[in-house]
Amino acid sequence: MKHLTAFFLTFFASFTLCCGQITDPKATEVWQPEPRVVTPGQGTKPPSDAIVLFNGTGFSEWVSLKDSAAAVSWNLARDSSMTVQPGTGDIMTKRVFGDCQLHLEFRTPLVVKGEGQGRGNSGVFLQDRYEVQVLDSYQNRTYSNGQCASIYKQTIPLVNACRPPGEWQTYDILFTAPRFNADGILLMPGRVTVIQNGVVVQMNTEIKGTTEYIGLPRTEAHGKAPIRLQDHGDLVSYRNIWLREL
Amino acid sequence: MKHLTAFFLTFFASFTLCCGQITDPKATEVWQPEPRVVTPGQGTKPPSDAIVLFNGTGFSEWVSLKDSAAAVSWNLARDSSMTVQPGTGDIMTKRVFGDCQLHLEFRTPLVVKGEGQGRGNSGVFLQDRYEVQVLDSYQNRTYSNGQCASIYKQTIPLVNACRPPGEWQTYDILFTAPRFNADGILLMPGRVTVIQNGVVVQMNTEIKGTTEYIGLPRTEAHGKAPIRLQDHGDLVSYRNIWLREL
Amino acid sequence: MKHLTAFFLTFFASFTLCCGQITDPKATEVWQPEPRVVTPGQGTKPPSDAIVLFNGTGFSEWVSLKDSAAAVSWNLARDSSMTVQPGTGDIMTKRVFGDCQLHLEFRTPLVVKGEGQGRGNSGVFLQDRYEVQVLDSYQNRTYSNGQCASIYKQTIPLVNACRPPGEWQTYDILFTAPRFNADGILLMPGRVTVIQNGVVVQMNTEIKGTTEYIGLPRTEAHGKAPIRLQDHGDLVSYRNIWLREL
Amino acid sequence: MKHLTAFFLTFFASFTLCCGQITDPKATEVWQPEPRVVTPGQGTKPPSDAIVLFNGTGFSEWVSLKDSAAAVSWNLARDSSMTVQPGTGDIMTKRVFGDCQLHLEFRTPLVVKGEGQGRGNSGVFLQDRYEVQVLDSYQNRTYSNGQCASIYKQTIPLVNACRPPGEWQTYDILFTAPRFNADGILLMPGRVTVIQNGVVVQMNTEIKGTTEYIGLPRTEAHGKAPIRLQDHGDLVSYRNIWLREL
């Protein structure tokens, strides 16, 4: 037994040495927490944890900006899409959101009309304030910070990855909401990544403030807020809109 | 004429006031630079500015890690995919990359064999050092920081968005390379966003250092480096691999 | 009058052009909000909006970690400093904090005793979990991720900017707290900048998780939490501790 | 022997378990690289690795913006400071810099003259393009994004931490240079942290583009560039300017 003890002491000493360098791969395993399971989407089917904001069946998740008591009067089509009804105004979600992943598909009119900002104009407002521009920017020059996939009047997209008018296009948006301190001063700006038709066009872009048509972005403290889709007078269509809260 | 002059002076004064508040929407337009046009992909067709790393026709963009002079001996299939040939070792791109968008599709074997890390294991190494794990994590528990879509032994995915074995899955990866100073000290860590099957699983995640099976991530200064795919002994398949330099 | 009208039309047309390029510097002025006034500190006097955590007069802002009902039994000195009373345990603030700027001064013992981690060891825990190491690292080699100004066992400092034992040193710490989602999953890691004796040693460093002496950093969701100072058995002194909430 | 074997098997099994959880604190030590030693500054003495840009002895590190061949004609004073010589124009460093820590002290005139932007106006341009505003903002209201410690016409400071006219004030600036891709498109914006008189006033603020008096910030690709100090016609003084390359 004596020898055995001696053997063990030696063993432990060398063990301490060896392990200081980590020799056991288990040492760097982390078992908790276990990420929850999400069944990914397929075709038009969204991921299992997504909030379906629009799938063609109606506007139950939306209200009109002009009159939140009135029914949304954009047009539903048989292909499960909706189209802006010019003059009826923007629509926005009943629910409010913070950090999220947002998927949607949009289509600018096949029959091209107008030019620059006047062609297939709409927009996706994150937290009711920060616009990812929707525009027919296929062979349609406008100011770079106003073309499709720009953070409108803030940040030009990395590239122009637009499909032609009449074709469905996708936006996959990763949004981190801004953070404000007790003074209402911005402590951590919002950020957004946008993948358009599978091509990254905004990459962790800092949001500079509210989207303003005239003047500079403003900073205003706020909490969770709706997603808003813009009626800019053009017959832009949307379909397959879902959101995952992060 | 006198009155006219007076009128103009007044006019200019008020003009200065009005314009200080910006009344002209043109004022916030930015026209330069104009983002270059990229034709987005469709189905298996990559975006027009992508470097096609694998489309099923061969291994012209790849070398074997074991012997960069030898031909790659992973298996080509008629469905334009390739499959790990166990024992032949990892393969890596001939070209080297920094910041990039990487798309690829992978499939773990339909016939399930083994468990934990022993089931459908492979991996995508960014800059030859930073692994986005590939694993059959469908109803197959392992350590969270080693499951599919983890930054291996660093960061667990936000959720488990895996498809079942035998189904093709997608990775869309946005990678920002780390930056080192003249001392070789890390000044700005690398970052990675991963979207798996359309679900964000890593969101602007900081890379903590090199991927190590045993021990802790290490920091080592380096420049551009290849993409590497791992031979972990399992019959994992890949297809439709392309990369856009950012 | 007719001519005048024509003149005006011309004028407005060119005006629109000119202003689209912004010719008035007022256009880019932002007047709101107005940052509130803070009287900066001078010598040992803190900024006017600081919460004074320790100025030598007593431990009214602190409790003992071991027994929050018991009085703090670290030693007060006539020079307005306090010194660890070995064996009495860590002390922590009664108040809890999120994002903040923290200033403090520390001194390791003039009489050098021990080596490596055994010399002048203490620590500043942000949110009770994330340690900025305090150590006598003046000509005293230890592991790089455990030397003074490391984020303990996570991130080595950019340089070793320590003063000799017995001299007062300063830490100016900018801390952004981590953000967690409803699953308790880390959505945005904490960040810390540390300036030691006027030299930046941690620059917007991502915090990898809780500080662990043994094992890897862990991620656990939490809200605001105290500042904690460590009793590591060495006679480390502190003075002039204040914090500004951000 | 049989029993001994059995004992060992048990032992190893439990050992693997124990070590998988890391029981040895050495396992998480990182010894390489070892941060180099920097002797911190004291009073007006800069850190040992600093490039001294101005210490009162002359303008050897500077050139005039107007005529880089001509001698700098700002005024040297006996107290080791320099003062703007109105009308001679900006001065800039001969050397060019990227990521850096910059320390300087400034003083606006004791005899207050003018108001708003007309009182004690100067500025520190990082990489010749990005201005940290210098202004007498002590009880002197101007637009928030133009007051002292603003990123001029971009980002207002978190608070107003100015000292009265005639008193020396400090800026400690941490700057990360922007990164551009091969298209000249901004891939990663510059960032700046500013501590004024010991109070954080800009915290990891994203730089939105070049500083423009009239119009919006512009994005232009560039490499390393000088530090520039502005002659805005006011008798602003500087002293004790040093920079550490990061």
Side-chain angles (χ1 to χ4, degrees), chain B residues 26-64:
Chain B
K26 285 196 186 349
T28 44
E29 298 176 359
V30 173
W31 286 78
Q32 296 302 331
E34 181 185 356
R36 64 184 161 80
V37 171
V38 171
T39 306
Q42 192 96 41
T44 61
K45 201 178 165 188
S48 60
D49 66 344
I51 295 169
V52 176
L53 294 176
F54 182 77
N55 64 3
T57 57
F59 293 104
S60 60
E61 291 283 345
W62 301 83
V63 293
S64 165

Side-chain angles (χ1 to χ4, degrees), chain A:
Chain A
M1 283 305 280
K2 213 176 176 184
H3 282 90
L4 192 60
T5 309
F7 176 86
F8 264 96
L9 287 177
T10 309
F11 180 83
F12 269 102
S14 65
F15 158 71
T16 303
L17 187 68
C18 87
C19 209
Q21 300 160 9
I22 305 187
T23 53
D24 185 351
K26 286 195 185 352
T28 45
E29 298 176 359
V30 173
W31 286 77
Q32 294 303 330
E34 182 183 356
R36 64 184 161 80
V37 171
V38 172
T39 306
Q42 192 98 39
T44 60
K45 200 178 166 190
S48 59
D49 66 344
I51 296 168
V52 176
L53 295 176
F54 182 76
N55 64 3
T57 56
F59 294 104
S60 59
E61 291 283 344
W62 301 83
V63 293
S64 164
L65 178 66
K66 281 186 178 168
D67 178 1
S68 63
V72 169
S73 43
W74 287 20
N75 295 300
L76 280 178
R78 295 204 177 157
D79 66 354
S80 296
S81 71
M82 60 163 140
T83 299
V84 173
Q85 174 60 43
T88 62
D90 297 0
I91 63 172
M92 64 186 193
T93 57
K94 294 176 180 169
R95 305 196 211 198
V96 293
F97 303 105
D99 305 331
C100 63
Q101 173 180 8
L102 174 64
H103 173 89
L104 59 82
E105 298 167 29
F106 66 93
R107 184 186 58 195
T108 62
L110 181 58
V111 179
V112 171
K113 220 176 55 182
E115 55 186 327
Q117 293 288 314
R119 185 184 295 177
N121 195 331
S122 182
V124 179
F125 286 76
L126 302 166
Q127 294 199 315
D128 197 28
R129 287 160 179 84
Y130 313 115
E131 186 187 16
V132 181
Q133 172 72 316
V134 169
L135 192 76
D136 177 357
S137 285
Y138 187 83
Q139 300 176 355
N140 176 39
R141 180 78 166 120
T142 185
Y143 40 100
S144 303
N145 66 349
Q147 71 181 55
C148 196
S150 65
I151 308 307
Y152 185 70
K153 291 209 166 172
Q154 295 189 16
T155 306
I156 69 174
L158 290 167
V159 294
N160 180 338
C162 290
R163 296 196 190 282
E167 293 191 13
W168 284 102
Q169 306 191 52
T170 58
Y171 269 168
D172 288 282
I173 298 174
L174 310 179
F175 175 64
T176 309
R179 196 196 294 200
F180 302 89
N181 72 6
D183 288 356
I185 297 264
L186 180 69
L187 205 57
M188 191 176 296
R191 297 197 156 270
V192 66
T193 290
V194 181
I195 296 178
Q196 181 185 13
N197 304 320
V199 175
V200 62
V201 284
Q202 298 284 350
M203 182 148 142
N204 201 35
T205 300
E206 184 173 300
I207 291 171
K208 300 187 195 313
T210 58
T211 294
E212 302 293 333
Y213 174 56
I214 296 172
L216 300 175
R218 287 177 306 103
T219 299
E220 57 179 29
H222 63 86
K224 289 186 172 189
I227 303 292
R228 178 157 58 91
L229 299 179
Q230 189 183 39
D231 166 14
H232 202 281
D234 294 338
L235 299 171
V236 173
S237 304
Y238 290 94
R239 71 176 184 191
N240 197 17
I241 309 178
W242 52 259
L243 179 150
R244 297 177 58 246
E245 292 180 308
L246 295 178

Side-chain angles (χ1 to χ4, degrees), chain C residues 52 64 66 71 78 110 121 141 143 168 183 199 201 237 246:
Chain C
V52 176
S64 165
K66 280 185 179 170
R78 296 203 178 158
L110 181 59
N121 194 330
R141 179 76 167 122
Y143 40 98
W168 284 102
D183 289 355
V199 175
V201 284
S237 303
L246 296 178

Side-chain angles (χ1 to χ4, degrees), chain B residues 188-214:
Chain B
M188 192 175 295
R191 296 197 157 272
V192 67
T193 291
V194 181
I195 296 177
Q196 181 185 12
N197 304 319
V199 175
V200 62
V201 283
Q202 298 285 349
M203 183 149 142
N204 200 34
T205 301
E206 185 174 299
I207 291 172
K208 300 186 193 316
T210 58
T211 294
E212 303 293 333
Y213 173 56
I214 296 173

